[in-house]
Amino acid sequence: MSSDIMKNIDEIEKKISGAALRAGRDRRDILLLAVSKTKPVELIRKAVDCGLTELGENKVQEIMEKYEPMGEKVSWHLIGHLQTNKVKYIIDKVKLIHSVDSVKLAQEINKRAHAAGRVQDVLVEVNAAGEESKFGIRPEETEGFIRELSELKAIRVCGLMTVAPFVENPEDNRPVFRGLKKLLIDINEKKINNINMFHLSMGMSNDYEVAIEEGSTIVRIGTSIFGARDYRV
Ligand SMILES: *Cc1c(COP(=O)(O)O)cnc(C)c1O
């Protein structure tokens, strides 16, 4: 199993480097975030041993369960929908929250981070493809949303995140990724106080190469590292 994971990561590394090269980008500007949701700590440790120390989870509960056993070597990213009443459980545990999608949530993160004497890095989740079923701010409302967040002193808006549609052909998501990058540039150009975004969290197992070609700085990869997830248990 461990050699499987090592092989998988090798393969992904090659593809990341290839995509970076094609786009004239530096590999070091791209973070491979290992999405460990539903996977046990013994398996996650194997990825960590291969050098993947930044881990993504979509549930607060799973971060809390894995936090102690995984220890200090790793850092955690919350990539899934976050309920306001659960912020208090993870505020001292996460490096980056990818899924800020309401002012109420941002205010709670700000309040808790302030109380903890720190500034919390966050991304704004954008529903870039306008899908009914998805969380996230609509592209045309993102600038106004970020203006509201810019008033909150204990959060730092580092960039934008999107969960692109599931597609057979990853090329189909290219316009989505390109659009998110354009949105980031456009908003940065507005020179909003305290806002200078540099992260684009986009691309998953199915489409991360295209995402990197279009400027992704964080690819969130689960299945291609750890294998398919089993939700029956
Ligand atoms: C599960 C998940 C991923 C990883 O998806 P894979 O297709 O397994 O790589 C990425 N981002 C989010 C928000 C997720 O929930």
Side-chain angles (χ1 to χ4, degrees):
M1 209 43 191
S2 102
S3 65
D4 270 2
I5 286 193
M6 201 183 285
K7 237 173 61 206
N8 290 347
I9 294 173
D10 261 1
E11 192 97 334
I12 294 165
E13 269 304 332
K14 286 195 191 104
K15 289 181 176 172
I16 290 177
S17 302
L21 192 65
R22 286 194 294 282
R25 302 183 54 202
D26 189 332
R27 162 68 185 92
R28 288 168 297 187
D29 294 335
I30 300 150
L31 170 67
L32 169 53
L33 181 67
V35 176
S36 52
K37 64 191 188 195
T38 78
K39 300 297 179 183
V41 293
E42 306 82 69
L43 204 61
I44 303 171
R45 284 206 185 97
K46 290 173 179 164
V48 176
D49 290 341
C50 295
L52 300 189
T53 54
E54 310 227 7
L55 305 172
E57 290 283 345
N58 68 340
K59 291 207 174 83
V60 166
Q61 184 66 30
E62 272 195 78
I63 292 183
M64 291 175 59
E65 285 167 10
K66 293 170 183 173
Y67 187 81
E68 286 282 331
M70 290 306 300
E72 308 234 304
K73 215 164 40 176
V74 304
S75 42
W76 295 95
H77 294 232
L78 186 79
I79 60 174
H81 185 63
L82 177 56
Q83 286 173 291
T84 303
N85 63 359
K86 293 196 172 154
V87 171
K88 56 180 175 286
Y89 301 122
I90 50 145
I91 195 68
D92 57 344
K93 297 185 173 60
V94 289
K95 177 175 179 182
L96 182 62
I97 298 173
H98 292 230
S99 46
V100 171
D101 62 355
S102 77
V103 172
K104 196 173 108 218
L105 173 61
Q107 285 168 336
E108 175 69 10
I109 295 169
N110 184 65
K111 183 178 113 189
R112 298 283 174 182
H114 180 76
R118 51 187 295 263
V119 173
Q120 176 66 54
D121 285 346
V122 305
L123 305 178
V124 170
E125 180 168 357
V126 180
N127 184 354
E131 292 174 284
E132 286 285 335
S133 58
K134 290 267 169 76
F135 292 108
I137 305 293
R138 287 198 271 176
E140 63 273 22
E141 289 167 359
T142 304
E143 182 193 333
F145 181 71
I146 287 175
R147 282 187 191 280
E148 291 193 66
L149 266 48
S150 71
E151 307 288 325
L152 304 172
K153 296 291 183 268
I155 67 174
R156 178 168 77 133
V157 180
C158 298
L160 305 177
M161 175 272 216
T162 199
V163 179
F166 181 79
V167 290
E168 290 291 330
N169 180 0
E171 280 298 327
D172 294 347
N173 277 336
R174 190 179 293 278
V176 174
F177 298 140
R178 192 169 288 179
L180 196 71
K181 168 140 197 191
K182 182 173 187 305
L183 188 61
L184 181 139
I185 292 170
D186 288 349
I187 294 173
N188 274 346
E189 280 175 354
K190 300 287 161 72
K191 306 268 182 235
I192 302 165
N193 243 339
N194 301 319
I195 301 294
N196 181 20
M197 301 186 289
F198 49 89
H199 266 317
L200 281 169
S201 170
M202 58 187 195
M204 303 169 34
S205 288
N206 192 40
D207 54 16
Y208 65 91
E209 290 169 271
V210 175
I212 289 167
E213 288 168 8
E214 296 301 330
S216 172
T217 64
I218 305 177
V219 288
R220 309 180 308 266
I221 301 185
T223 309
S224 292
I225 296 172
F226 298 106
R229 286 177 291 274
D230 186 351
Y231 286 103
R232 289 169 303 169
V233 282

